[in-house]
Amino acid sequence: RFGLPIVTGFVERKAIAEMYPKDSLADQTNDALVLSAVRCTIGVERYMRQRTDAGEVATMIYENNNESKKLIKEVHEALKLQFFSDAPPLQGWQLKDFLPITRVVDTAYFAEKEETSILQVADACAFAIRRFLSRLENGDAWFDLLRDRLTSTIYGYSRVGKS
């Protein structure tokens, strides 16, 4: 409805649990959070570099969550410093091709959902994508509303524009 591009950054918690079986559930949750934030931030950076004018920049606004705020801010700052440049490919992209981030500027911001409508839109998108990925009732129908706005592939669904 708004014509906004949708960038996703998600992780299957089961995969994290299998990779780090000795970690506590809290540590596994933090690992998933960090990887999701990296995927999302790199997705936005990639979109900004490939699909917008050179002078355009973006900021990241996350839902306020005291447990994750410190981690996300640290990850955001690390991406500015090319910290993850030796990481394996992510969703088929080489991270080093998009690091350091230069088009996602400032710090990672946090707000309550009630304070900004864009978080409410993001929450609705996350609801639809989660239902689709979890194969829940009406997941395909909700996902179909967003499909043409996605900037990258989710489980074989084609993305908008060139790769």
Side-chain angles (χ1 to χ4, degrees):
R1 180 177 184 185
F2 300 111
L4 299 172
I6 299 171
V7 176
T8 61
F10 62 91
V11 176
E12 292 184 70
R13 289 184 191 199
K14 181 180 176 185
I16 296 292
E18 290 171 359
M19 286 172 33
Y20 306 105
K22 294 182 180 182
D23 283 0
S24 69
L25 181 58
D27 287 341
Q28 291 173 358
T29 299
N30 286 338
D31 291 342
L33 178 74
V34 166
L35 187 51
S36 293
V38 168
R39 286 181 172 177
C40 194
T41 304
I42 294 297
V44 171
E45 180 75 18
R46 178 177 181 250
Y47 178 85
M48 295 301 294
R49 288 185 186 189
Q50 294 180 344
R51 309 279 311 282
T52 67
D53 294 333
E56 284 192 58
V57 295
T59 58
M60 304 284 292
I61 303 173
Y62 294 86
E63 184 176 350
N64 199 21
N65 178 330
N66 289 330
E67 290 79 42
S68 63
K69 190 181 292 189
K70 183 176 187 270
L71 276 174
I72 289 174
K73 281 185 172 282
E74 288 173 356
V75 165
H76 193 84
E77 292 306 310
L79 290 171
K80 289 180 180 179
L81 301 172
Q82 213 162 355
F83 182 78
F84 295 99
S85 61
D86 293 332
L90 183 66
Q91 296 175 337
W93 324 322
Q94 292 293 331
L95 283 181
K96 65 184 174 190
D97 294 342
F98 301 100
L99 293 175
I101 59 172
T102 57
R103 303 287 296 278
V104 178
V105 297
D106 294 336
T107 187
Y109 292 102
F110 294 82
E112 300 297 330
K113 265 192 264 193
E114 300 79 26
E115 295 175 327
T116 176
S117 59
I118 199 66
L119 283 180
Q120 295 167 22
V121 172
D123 207 33
C125 293
F127 172 83
I129 292 168
R130 171 98 198 277
R131 290 194 72 79
F132 171 76
L133 292 174
S134 300
R135 296 179 177 85
L136 297 174
E137 185 179 349
N138 298 320
D140 288 338
W142 284 104
F143 185 76
D144 285 343
L145 297 171
L146 307 177
R147 182 189 318 258
D148 293 338
R149 303 306 319 155
L150 291 170
T151 63
S152 60
T153 300
I154 293 181
Y155 287 94
Y157 283 85
S158 63
R159 51 175 268 337
V160 176
K162 58 187 177 186
S163 47

